[in-house]
Structures are given as C-alpha cells and as structure tokens.
Amino acid sequence: MVDGMTKQAQGVDTDLPGKPTSASRTTLSHIMTGSDTNLLGTVHGGVIMKLVDDAAGAVAGRHSEGPAVTASMDEMAFLEPVRVGDLVHVKAQVNWTGRSSMEVGVRVLAERWNESTPATQVGSAYLVFAAVDADGKPRPVPPVIPETERDKRRYQEAEIRRTHRLARRRAIKELRARRAAEDPEAP
C-alpha cells in the first residue's frame, strides 16, 4: 500500500496478503575472472546482465513464492567498467507488483577483491517478471508493501515506468495495424 491506496483501489484484484519489500530483497556476489572478459579486458556486459537476471529472478520467485519468468528488461545502464578481480554485488528488490507481474530493481556494485575500499555502483536495471503456474499461465502475486521512503519512491517510479511500457506497446500495435491496413502485402 502506497499513500493509503489498496490494490483494489489501483485496479488490482488479489486476496493474497501483502509482503514487505525486505521479505524478498537479496544480494548475489561473484568474483570476476578472466573467463568473464571481453576483447578490451573488462567484463562482458552480458556477464553482468546474466547476474542481474539471476538476482532479479531469485527476488521475483521469493516474492511470488513460485516460478517467475523474465518478461522484459528496462534501462540497463552500465555506469563504470568491471574488471577481472572485482567482487561484484548485485542487489535486487521488488519495487512494484501488479496482478501477476512484478518490477524488480537491481543495483550492481563492484569492489576490488583485495582492497578495503567502498564498493562503487557500476550498473542498474529494471526488470519485469511474470509469475507463472506449472502450465506457464500467469498466477497472482502478493502485493508489495514499501517499508521506507526510498521504497515508496521506487514504487511510484515503477508505476511511471509501467505506464510508459504500456503506452509504448499500444503505440507500436497501433502503428503496425495502420501499416497492415495500408499495405496488407508488407511484412
């Protein structure tokens, strides 16, 4: 519940009890090795993206108490290069929930494995997961309950991202429908 709004008031129908943000928050840590590098000698973006997806998937599964699949990844930002020998920490939490979907926010931090300097943020991403049943069909997820002011801000920002994702999807469908009506032979 954010600012007194219940899931019913938001148009989401669920009888599942809400879960606090902290209930599924997690950190995945991994030391980067030579096998993780690209031709420039830094860690492949794809390696970082896999860690991001793994951590976010764990959070989504924990929050929804079952299988959840990646539906989309938004705004993957690489802020600094990651090097061999860096200890990478991928921190993830559920920012927002719908009926069967969840936005998971992820921060990627890196620190030298052999130094006592603070970790630096090297990346961030937002992923949307859909909770699925044994047949791969969407299933309801518990509402997320933001606990801190930061959690509330993340929830509100996630709602804005969701609105933009839905508007973009609608606009693309409309454009394709118009083009198909104008030229049925076009691919």
Side-chain angles (χ1 to χ4, degrees), residues 11-152:
V12 177
D13 184 25
T14 181
D15 293 328
L16 298 172
K19 294 173 77 173
T21 306
S22 61
S24 57
R25 188 178 289 144
T26 194
T27 301
L28 181 145
S29 297
H30 188 78
I31 294 179
M32 298 292 108
T33 65
S35 65
D36 299 319
T37 60
N38 58 30
L39 296 174
L40 299 175
T42 56
V43 173
H44 276 287
V47 170
I48 301 299
M49 290 173 76
K50 175 154 181 12
L51 294 172
V52 164
D53 191 44
D54 288 346
V59 167
R62 289 170 85 175
H63 182 83
S64 68
E65 298 178 4
V69 296
T70 311
S72 70
M73 177 184 265
D74 290 351
E75 301 179 37
M76 180 71 208
F78 297 99
L79 307 173
E80 298 284 336
V82 177
R83 302 173 294 158
V84 170
D86 280 352
L87 177 57
V88 172
H89 307 285
V90 183
K91 298 176 176 282
Q93 75 171 48
V94 173
N95 289 337
W96 176 90
T97 54
R99 189 186 64 75
S100 62
S101 64
M102 301 157 275
E103 183 193 270
V104 179
V106 181
R107 287 183 41 223
V108 184
L109 305 155
E111 61 182 307
R112 295 305 293 167
W113 69 274
N114 60 346
E115 297 175 7
S116 59
T117 55
T120 302
Q121 184 171 352
V122 296
S124 65
Y126 300 101
L127 296 89
V128 176
F129 280 79
V132 294
D133 63 18
D135 297 322
K137 303 291 184 208
R139 62 180 176 80
V141 298
V144 67
I145 303 169
E147 298 172 282
T148 66
E149 288 305 312
R150 180 182 276 186
D151 292 341
K152 290 175 185 174

Side-chain angles (χ1 to χ4, degrees), residues 173-186:
K173 283 183 178 182
E174 289 170 7
L175 178 63
R176 288 179 180 171
R178 269 197 316 272
R179 285 192 175 156
E182 292 169 3
D183 184 6
E185 299 293 321

